[in-house]
Amino acid sequence: MKTDPLKAEANVSFADDKLVRATAYQEPITGSIDLYEAMARALKYNLDTKVEIMEASLKLREADLVSYSALPKLVAGAGYAGRDEGDPSTPSTRDPNVRTGDLTFSWNVLDFGLSYVRAKQAADQALIQEEMKRRIVNKVIEDVRTAYWRAASYQRLVGRMRALEGRVARALRETRGLSGSGEASPLVALTYERELIEVKREVEQLEGELKVAKSQLAALMNITPGTEFTLSLPKRNNPKLSVPNDLSAMYRIAAANRPEMREVAYRMRINEQEVNAALLDILPGFSVYAGNNYDSNDFITDANWASWGAKVSFNAMKLFALPATNRKIEAEKEVLDARALSVAMAVMTQVHISRARFTHLNKSYSTAAALSNVSHRILNQVRAETKAQKTSEQILIREEMNALVADAKLDMAYADMQNAYANVYASLGVDPFPRGLTTKESVAEISTRMKALWNEGGGAAVIHVSAQTAGIQ
């Protein structure tokens, strides 16, 4: 054997096929995309989510396949044997050409027991993959919320940013000209120039943070990079977002719902099944068989006959390995228990931090809203004075830039608060999609159901449903 690397043509063909199929068979964008359509497209088309859904489906198929190993065996066999004539003077007791066939049914009770245990373990593995899918979906939806609000902020402010760029450049030239001609104090001119440059730098920093958000959102929705689309810009209003105050109840809900906790619980159940598998493995194997046979040899009385029987087998050497096997199972149980405690502590910490972060960012949003409000009031006052020729154009430009920065910070504070709001529910293990929702539904249907679930103030109802599902009163 020798290696046979792919040819350049094969690499190009493979790459072209994947580039086309990566975004194929998707519903076209027909209008402005709102938050819930962005979530719906991420659920339906995001490739990371698709991989996890397919992995979960594969695990179910594997569990189904393992269950077939518990069935009895039905084996058909056929054969042919030939020989030379040998010494013609010696009487022969066998045909020179013999055809044989048999159909044998057999069933090993021990194999059946082991197959049953392995099938239950495979089913738990499928459930673990389902929890991993939930974790990925939670993360994708959380990222969509953050990227959407930041991209919406950029779309809202980009026009004002571009309009101010030219005016700022002109104001800087005029300021430098006044300083150079001696019409204004050099210190005053330089101070004003510094203020303009500082505000301009802050605007550029904010633009840099917000500009990439649209590309990130496109990637989450699995839209081809560079595709033009617009976002539906909601009005700035006081959001009615709230989270529960009972931390102990939140801890219990999170511990019962988080994918990480459920994964450890399933792994502990798989390990418990290993005890049964170890015991079954040392038991004597009892098998029964029955079959129908055929032999074309003319020298035997019956060419067709039936056979049956039973057989018991026992491997005594496995008894010596049983203590070591039990110690290994017990050690793994202790490891899983320690991991469960570690995950439980991490879950409680994440719930506490996410709630504290939301409370902090909620206050930060209120402060940013107050700053934006006062910045616009100052801007309106400066505009009136500029119109009455009581102040300079440079001061007006500076205040317009300050108002722009305040608005950008307000939108970023709102995006951060929305992200923190989603993170609270992600820390609780709350599914960000309605129960029974499938990716086979259209984007519009998924969007409508997502909106009904995650409308403002609806999070408490979602938590109540999750608590009932987890059996928590």
Side-chain angles (χ1 to χ4, degrees):
M1 287 292 296
K2 62 179 181 179
T3 57
D4 184 18
L6 290 171
K7 301 293 190 295
E9 296 81 4
N11 285 324
V12 171
S13 177
F14 181 84
D16 289 344
D17 174 66
K18 299 303 175 284
L19 287 174
V20 170
R21 290 174 55 200
T23 56
Y25 312 113
Q26 296 183 178
E27 294 181 37
I29 299 172
T30 56
S32 297
I33 298 176
D34 65 5
L35 173 62
Y36 303 103
E37 182 179 345
M39 289 181 177
R41 288 185 174 275
L43 281 176
K44 190 174 177 68
Y45 300 126
N46 183 271
L47 295 180
D48 290 335
T49 304
K50 276 189 175 183
V51 168
E52 291 300 326
I53 291 173
M54 290 179 178
E55 289 282 358
S57 178
L58 175 60
K59 288 294 183 182
L60 285 174
R61 299 294 180 270
E62 289 176 353
D64 186 51
L65 182 61
V66 169
S67 65
Y68 280 93
S69 61
L71 294 176
K73 295 180 175 62
L74 184 62
V75 180
Y80 167 81
R83 56 175 290 181
D84 60 18
E85 296 294 339
D87 187 356
S89 63
T90 304
S92 176
T93 59
R94 184 180 183 277
D95 282 345
N97 298 290
V98 177
R99 292 178 297 277
T100 60
D102 65 86
L103 182 65
T104 304
F105 169 90
S106 63
W107 187 50
N108 190 304
V109 178
L110 181 59
D111 286 346
F112 170 79
L114 281 172
S115 298
Y116 177 74
V117 172
R118 297 306 181 199
K120 292 188 71 173
Q121 290 178 320
D124 283 340
Q125 288 287 355
L127 292 172
I128 288 174
Q129 187 62 42
E130 189 70 24
E131 295 304 320
M132 293 177 67
K133 182 189 77 174
R134 288 181 60 229
R135 183 168 56 192
I136 290 294
V137 170
N138 261 315
K139 184 68 171 65
V140 167
I141 293 300
E142 186 179 353
D143 290 345
V144 166
R145 291 184 78 103
T146 303
Y148 173 83
W149 289 112
R150 284 178 170 257
S153 175
Y154 178 73
Q155 184 174 309
R156 192 198 307 271
L157 300 175
V158 65
R160 290 170 60 188
M161 289 178 181
R162 295 292 174 266
L164 274 175
E165 280 181 356
R167 295 179 62 190
V168 169
R170 186 171 63 251
L172 286 172
R173 287 195 302 270
E174 291 175 356
T175 301
R176 291 163 184 160
L178 290 174
S179 176
S181 63
E183 297 180 23
S185 167
L187 181 60
V188 172
L190 288 171
T191 301
Y192 178 70
E193 183 178 347
R194 182 184 64 185
E195 290 177 355
L196 280 179
I197 293 174
E198 286 178 347
V199 177
K200 180 183 177 184
R201 182 183 62 181
E202 195 166 0
V203 170
E204 289 172 350
Q205 288 175 343
L206 291 172
E207 182 180 8
E209 291 182 33
L210 297 174
K211 193 172 184 179
V212 297
K214 194 170 184 179
S215 297
Q216 293 171 342
L217 182 62
L220 290 166
M221 294 189 294
N222 203 48
I223 296 174
T224 304
T227 301
E228 290 296 327
F229 63 92
T230 58
L231 301 177
S232 177
L233 300 181
K235 293 181 179 179
R236 285 199 189 100
N237 51 19
N238 195 21
K240 300 175 182 178
L241 303 177
S242 61
V243 297
N245 294 318
D246 190 344
L247 271 175
S248 61
M250 293 176 72
Y251 293 155
R252 294 182 67 202
I253 293 171
N257 280 300
R258 281 288 290 270
E260 297 90 338
M261 289 292 291
R262 292 184 181 181
E263 179 184 347
V264 177
Y266 286 130
R267 292 197 183 280
M268 294 181 76
R269 197 160 73 176
I270 290 172
N271 190 60
E272 290 171 2
Q273 291 294 332
E274 279 296 325
V275 177
N276 297 330
L279 290 174
L280 286 170
D281 200 32
I282 66 170
L283 292 177
F286 175 74
S287 60
V288 295
Y289 65 90
N292 188 44
N293 303 271
Y294 166 78
D295 194 315
S296 66
N297 190 353
D298 291 335
F299 289 89
I300 61 176
T301 305
D302 296 314
N304 292 282
W305 70 94
S307 61
W308 58 88
K311 184 179 180 181
V312 177
S313 60
F314 178 64
N315 186 350
M317 300 302 293
K318 288 186 178 180
L319 284 172
F320 296 101
L322 182 61
T325 302
N326 286 336
R327 287 194 297 271
K328 177 255 183 186
I329 294 171
E330 188 62 29
E332 189 164 357
K333 178 182 178 181
E334 293 175 359
V335 170
L336 288 171
D337 184 62
R339 183 180 298 174
L341 295 177
S342 174
V343 171
M345 189 64 198
V347 164
M348 287 193 293
T349 303
Q350 289 169 10
V351 170
H352 181 78
I353 291 175
S354 66
R355 188 178 176 279
R357 180 170 173 262
F358 172 77
T359 302
H360 169 71
L361 290 175
N362 201 7
K363 291 180 180 178
S364 296
Y365 173 77
S366 299
T367 303
L371 177 62
S372 176
N373 179 269
V374 73
S375 296
H376 279 277
R377 285 161 55 195
I378 292 173
L379 177 59
N380 290 335
Q381 186 68 31
V382 171
R383 279 174 177 168
E385 292 185 0
T386 303
K387 189 174 182 180
Q389 296 184 348
K390 293 182 179 180
T391 189
S392 65
E393 178 73 12
Q394 288 88 345
I395 294 177
L396 175 61
I397 292 174
R398 182 185 64 191
E399 294 307 325
E400 285 180 347
M401 292 181 69
N402 283 330
L404 178 63
V405 169
D407 287 345
K409 289 184 175 180
L410 174 62
D411 280 346
M412 290 183 69
Y414 187 82
D416 290 340
M417 183 180 63
Q418 285 284 349
N419 173 258
Y421 180 68
N423 186 251
V424 170
Y425 295 104
S427 71
L428 293 173
V430 174
D431 288 332
F433 50 87
R435 188 174 299 175
L437 182 68
T438 67
T439 55
K440 294 181 180 179
E441 300 178 36
S442 68
V443 169
E445 291 171 330
I446 297 175
S447 175
T448 300
R449 296 185 63 183
M450 293 287 288
K451 187 174 183 179
L453 180 72
W454 283 108
N455 56 4
E456 289 189 347
V462 177
I463 287 185
H464 179 67
V465 172
S466 297
Q468 288 183 328
T469 304
I472 298 173
Q473 301 299 325

